[in-house]
């Protein structure tokens, strides 16, 4: 097995379990999943598809909370171990840059990404249809919502945790305003989070495997490694019983992240456990966040399960990168810069 390294800092208190013996795949589930069950907080029926990050000596989460009227909002949570969470009953209070209220009518599937000294939240919001919302914070006390970066329709926005040539880099998945039976991943750049351009096509659905034949979408913030940017994403297949969401893995070029170096033709995790197969929307794995420890190469992946629960899975940089490289395929012109 070839050796790789994570680029970044150590995280000694990362949640972790060793790989079970005789497990063939590159990713394994936390034995105590789900870590967030139904009705976790007063007024909230389900939490899933949520984001977490290290903050100081604790962990912070931005959670997709389905309220008891069925409308999703973003709620803040805190944890000592990134497993047991205390989640606020109140939604996050967003202000615009002048200090005026700027609340989304709904908000779901957040990603939480730190770029330099600021945390950014990207989520799906309403802007005459499904669109991307963006906000920033440094202390998780004040949240400044910026204007939406793109026109509708768009979902699955995630920032690269590092500027490239001085620009922010945002992955997204243009879509429709419904349940979107199509979708590729694109990349856009901005010097200031206001003006966006240099749009690039990154990845298409399809390929040899049927598990991602219908559509794909970005997952957690890409992880910088010695081989390139490791990005987990979701791939969707259509069946006679509806959509099935699985987790895939890809390695992008470190300097030109719209270029695919290696892309796994197999899913790296697919619905198999009861909390993934049965729920409000069955057969869904939706990765939204990772924690990683550069000292050990450990990676913890947070994912929504069946639009009802939150689960954790584990891997190492060596396990996952070797698996992607050994099972790689490229689709179309994704190994090139597609302007």
């Amino acid at each position: 097995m070839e050796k790789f390294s994570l680029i970044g800092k150590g995280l000694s208190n990362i949640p972790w379990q060793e790989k079970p013996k005789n497990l063939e795949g590159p990713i394994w589930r936390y034995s105590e999943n789900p870590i967030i069950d139904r009705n976790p907080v007063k007024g909230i029926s389900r939490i899933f598809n949520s984001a977490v990050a290290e903050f100081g000596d604790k962990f912070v989460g931005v959670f997709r909370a389905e309220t008891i009227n069925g409308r999703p909002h973003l709620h803040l949570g805190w944890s000592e171990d990134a497993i047991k969470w205390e989640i606020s009953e109140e939604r996050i209070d967003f202000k615009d840059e002048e200090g005026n209220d700027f609340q989304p009518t709904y908000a779901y599937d957040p990603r939480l990404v730190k770029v330099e000294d600021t945390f950014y939240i990207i989520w799906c919001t309403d802007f005459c249809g499904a669109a991307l919302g963006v906000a920033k914070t440094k202390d998780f006390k004040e949240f400044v919502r910026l204007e939406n970066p793109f026109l509708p329709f768009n979902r699955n926005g995630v920032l690269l945790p590092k500027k490239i040539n001085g620009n922010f880099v945002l992955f997204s998945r243009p879509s429709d305003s419904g349940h979107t039976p199509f979708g590729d991943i694109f990349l856009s750049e901005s010097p200031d989070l206001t003006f966006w351009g240099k749009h690039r096509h990154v990845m298409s659905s399809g390929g040899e495997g049927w598990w991602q034949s219908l559509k794909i979408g970005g997952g957690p913030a890409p992880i910088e490694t010695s081989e390139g940017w490791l990005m987990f994403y979701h791939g969707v297949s259509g069946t006679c019983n509806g959509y099935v969401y699985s987790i895939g893995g890809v390695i992008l070029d470190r300097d030109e992240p719209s270029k695919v170096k290696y892309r796994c033709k197999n899913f790296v995790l697919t619905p198999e456990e009861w909390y993934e197969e049965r729920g409000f929307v069955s057969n869904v794995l939706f990765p939204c966040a990772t924690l990683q420890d550069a000292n050990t190469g450990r990676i913890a992946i947070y994912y929504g399960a069946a639009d009802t629960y939150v689960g954790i899975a584990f891997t190492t940089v060596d396990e996952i990168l070797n698996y992607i490289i050994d099972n790689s395929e490229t689709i179309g012109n994704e190994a090139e810069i597609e302007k």
Side-chain angles (χ1 to χ4, degrees):
M1 179 182 288
E2 190 172 349
K3 297 294 183 180
F4 302 97
S5 60
L6 295 171
I7 309 300
K9 63 178 185 176
L11 183 61
S12 60
N13 58 340
I14 186 174
W16 185 252
Q17 280 185 340
E18 293 295 336
K19 185 176 184 178
K21 293 181 179 179
N22 303 320
L23 182 73
E24 293 185 3
I27 295 177
W28 54 99
R29 295 168 175 84
Y30 180 47
S31 63
E32 301 301 315
N33 277 346
I35 63 166
I36 300 179
D37 210 331
R38 289 179 181 266
N39 303 303
V41 178
K42 181 181 177 182
I44 296 174
S45 61
R46 293 171 289 118
I47 282 179
F48 56 98
N49 298 7
S50 300
V52 305
E54 177 193 13
F55 185 71
D57 59 354
K58 296 183 180 180
F59 297 93
V60 63
V62 176
F63 293 95
R64 171 177 175 161
E66 299 281 307
T67 56
I68 54 177
N69 70 3
R71 188 180 287 262
H73 298 287
L74 302 184
H75 288 237
L76 204 63
W78 294 93
S79 176
E80 299 286 344
D81 60 5
I83 296 175
K84 299 176 182 177
W85 291 89
E86 294 184 6
I87 298 165
S88 173
E89 295 180 11
E90 304 299 324
R91 71 182 72 169
I92 294 174
D93 183 25
F94 293 104
K95 306 289 186 182
D96 66 17
E97 294 184 274
E98 285 72 46
N100 303 308
D101 287 340
F102 195 13
Q103 290 293 102
T105 56
Y106 62 75
Y108 60 87
D109 297 351
R111 275 69 163 187
L112 177 61
V113 185
K114 187 178 183 181
V115 183
E116 297 175 347
D117 65 346
T118 302
F119 286 88
Y120 296 91
I121 307 169
I122 308 97
W123 69 91
C124 186
T125 194
D126 178 40
F127 180 49
C128 301
L132 296 181
V134 180
K136 62 182 181 179
T137 184
K138 292 187 177 182
D139 57 9
F140 291 96
K141 296 178 181 178
E142 296 182 351
F143 297 85
V144 177
R145 184 179 171 193
L146 309 178
E147 292 201 36
N148 300 338
F150 303 143
L151 296 170
F153 307 107
N154 209 313
R155 289 187 173 90
N156 299 308
V158 57
L159 277 171
L160 200 72
K162 181 179 179 180
K163 292 180 181 179
I164 301 292
N165 298 322
N167 285 342
F168 291 94
V169 176
L170 180 65
F171 295 87
S172 70
R173 204 277 306 285
S175 63
D176 60 20
S177 202
H179 294 292
T180 313
F182 63 89
D184 291 357
I185 298 174
F186 289 78
L187 173 156
S188 304
E189 296 186 24
S190 173
D192 55 9
L193 295 174
T194 298
F195 299 101
W196 292 89
K198 298 188 74 174
H199 308 294
R200 304 284 186 264
H201 180 261
V202 182
M203 297 164 54
S204 299
S205 57
E208 179 180 322
W210 286 3
W211 67 272
Q212 56 180 342
S213 59
L214 190 70
K215 58 181 176 178
I216 57 176
I223 302 168
E224 191 172 10
T225 78
S226 55
E227 187 63 34
W229 292 101
L230 166 63
M231 185 169 75
F232 296 104
Y233 64 97
H234 64 264
V236 184
S237 62
T239 76
C240 60
N241 264 347
Y243 292 173
V244 176
Y245 282 67
S246 302
I247 300 177
V250 64
I251 304 170
L252 307 174
D253 188 274
R254 283 178 68 185
D255 299 318
E256 294 282 357
S258 69
K259 293 170 59 176
V260 172
K261 293 183 68 176
Y262 304 98
R263 178 177 175 182
C264 193
K265 63 185 177 183
N266 306 326
F267 55 72
V268 296
L269 207 67
T270 198
E272 293 178 345
E273 298 294 332
W274 67 264
Y275 52 88
E276 301 164 349
E277 293 178 328
R278 302 194 305 273
F280 189 76
V281 181
S282 299
N283 296 311
V284 175
L285 295 184
F286 197 93
C288 273
T290 61
L291 297 171
Q292 50 271 347
D293 175 25
N295 294 333
T296 61
R298 294 173 174 177
I299 301 171
I301 305 163
Y302 289 76
Y303 64 94
D307 279 15
T308 306
Y309 310 100
V310 175
I312 307 178
F314 304 107
T315 189
T316 67
V317 64
D318 291 341
E319 285 262 7
I320 190 63
L321 263 59
N322 276 289
Y323 188 83
I324 292 171
I325 292 169
D326 290 345
N327 295 279
S328 181
E329 69 170 342
T330 53
I331 301 171
N333 298 319
E334 63 188 22
E336 305 170 6
I337 297 176
E338 296 185 74
K339 300 180 180 180

